[in-house]
Every structure is written in C-alpha cells, then in structure tokens.
Amino acid sequence: TQLLEQSPQFLSIQEGENLTVYCNSSSVFSSLQWYRQEPGEGPVLLVTVVTGGEVKKLKRLTFQFGDARKDSSLHITAAQPGDTGLYLCARRANDYKLSFGAGTTVTVRA
Amino acid sequence: NAGVTQTPKFQVLKTGQSMTLQCAQDMNHNSMYWYRQDPGMGLRLIYYSASEGTTDKGEVPNGYNVSRLNKREFSLRLESAAPSQTSVYFCASWGRSYNEQFFGPGTRLTVL
C-alpha cells in the first residue's frame, strides 16, 4: 500500500505547455520532499516543504503544500524537454526514513 | 567529490547465485540506505544504517543482507537470487541536518 498517492502516473505534453502533478496522503506529514529522476540516474532533490500552505518556486517550477499538510502539488510553467523525467514525492518520517510515492513520468515533446 | 558511487552498474544473475552490491560515499555522512525501484512502485527501503556499526530492516528486507563496512561503505548482499529480485537498486545517504538524500546512479540487476 502506497502511503503517498501520486497522480497522474504518466503525463505527455508539448513543449511550452503547463502541467501539474499531485501527491496526496490520508495522513498528515511533517515535511514533504520532491525529487526528479532522469533515466539511468538516481533521484535528485528539488525542494522540501514543511509548513502548511507553503509555496516555493524554483525557476519555472512551483511547489505547494496543502494547508492540512496532507497533499502537495508541483506545477511546471512552459515545460521544456529538459523537464522530462520521473517526479517523486517523499515523506520524511521522524526517524528520517523516506517513504516515496510511485511517481509521475513526465514527457515533454519538442 | 564523487558523491555516492555504486558498483556494478549492470548485473545478470541466474536464480540461486549470490552477489554483493557495493556502495560508497565520500561526503562523511552518517546514515546510508538501500532502496529498490520497480515500475509503478516508486522506491522501497530494503535496509538502512543510521550510523557506523548499526543496521536495520526497512520495508522489504527479505532475501537481502547488508554490511556497514565503515563510515564510507555500505554493501547489499543477495545470498540466493530470485527472479523477484530483478530491479534497480539505489544506495543513498543523508546530508547534514537530514535535509537532502543523495543517491547513487543505481545498479540494474536481472535475475533469470
């Protein structure tokens, strides 16, 4: 059973379009991380959100943490082929173990 | 700094064979982790080592053993490989203040 549910599972869009991926849980988490994984490589941290309602921006990427700290979203504006990858959300437990969602595979077509 | 390194990058085994996956980090991190990644399932924790000299089971430890050889190195051993262990294996370590996990490039293992 996935503690974190990510949707959609796959997303294919044209360069220049916007996209949003979601990460949801039935339980509250103290902090949530978003990682991006490119083919043949390990995940790389994009951002950590810790405060309910928090919004963080990383260039064209906007991350939101829900007010109740049960959900998060990642929005990419004007997607580029370099944004292609697997986007993973992960919950950091108090013992520092990470629990990952299944991920959203994003493909941006040129 | 090389970060987290893993060897080998690819491996094919026959059912019943054994092998050890090697992992090393040069960032002086205390805690290290082994995950497996399967399609549609994200990363699942196999074993971890919170500090040198300690190891603990994660979510899916059956069929695996680990050794924290020293602060730098954390190996994962498959004693008798099974087709269900076909996966991509990642080693990772936490940075200072547990703000970011650093991952190795992965080992793609196929068990026939």
Side-chain angles (χ1 to χ4, degrees):
Chain A
T1 302
Q2 290 294 143
L3 189 63
L4 296 174
E5 298 290 334
Q6 289 192 244
S7 62
Q9 188 176 0
F10 299 98
L11 195 55
S12 180
I13 61 170
Q14 201 70 33
E15 182 176 4
E17 293 181 337
N18 302 331
L19 69 96
T20 303
V21 300
Y22 300 92
C23 177
N24 297 288
S25 173
S26 58
S27 55
V28 174
F29 30 79
S30 57
S31 69
L32 187 90
Q33 298 190 320
W34 284 95
Y35 289 79
R36 179 169 66 204
Q37 184 179 15
E38 297 187 13
E41 299 182 8
V44 175
L45 179 69
L46 294 173
V47 79
T48 302
V49 286
V50 296
T51 305
E54 184 175 7
V55 176
K56 283 192 173 179
K57 293 194 174 184
L58 189 66
K59 297 183 181 178
R60 295 176 292 100
L61 279 62
T62 302
F63 303 85
Q64 287 192 297
F65 199 16
D67 291 339
R69 305 203 329 266
K70 290 184 177 182
D71 59 274
S72 181
S73 64
L74 157 60
H75 181 80
I76 302 179
T77 303
Q80 299 176 1
D83 296 324
T84 292
L86 176 66
Y87 289 82
L88 296 157
C89 63
R91 170 182 176 266
R92 186 179 62 187
N94 291 336
D95 60 0
Y96 304 112
K97 286 190 285 189
L98 285 180
S99 297
F100 285 86
T104 295
T105 299
V106 171
T107 303
V108 182
R109 306 184 304 274
Chain B
N1 285 353
V4 180
T5 56
Q6 291 183 237
T7 56
K9 196 159 179 64
F10 300 94
Q11 184 70 48
V12 179
L13 293 177
K14 294 181 180 178
T15 296
Q17 287 185 318
S18 62
M19 79 159 296
T20 300
L21 281 64
Q22 307 287 353
C23 172
Q25 51 90 11
D26 61 0
M27 297 173 284
N28 202 35
H29 292 164
N30 289 321
S31 59
M32 298 183 71
Y33 299 77
W34 275 105
Y35 297 92
R36 61 177 289 172
Q37 185 174 35
D38 302 294
M41 301 195 73
L43 284 92
R44 292 181 292 168
L45 183 63
I46 305 171
Y47 269 93
Y48 66 102
S49 172
S51 61
E52 186 178 356
T54 69
T55 60
D56 283 290
K57 295 178 180 179
E59 182 185 353
V60 289
N62 291 345
Y64 305 95
N65 282 302
V66 290
S67 295
R68 184 74 183 265
L69 303 169
N70 47 56
K71 191 170 186 179
R72 288 188 64 248
E73 299 172 288
F74 188 38
S75 63
L76 178 72
R77 182 159 180 84
L78 287 70
E79 290 292 351
S80 180
S84 60
Q85 294 178 304
T86 293
S87 188
V88 183
Y89 291 85
F90 288 97
C91 178
S93 64
W94 271 118
R96 286 183 180 275
S97 303
Y98 298 93
N99 286 332
E100 178 177 0
Q101 259 197 19
F102 294 86
F103 287 82
T107 294
R108 186 174 295 274
L109 176 67
T110 301
V111 183
L112 303 174

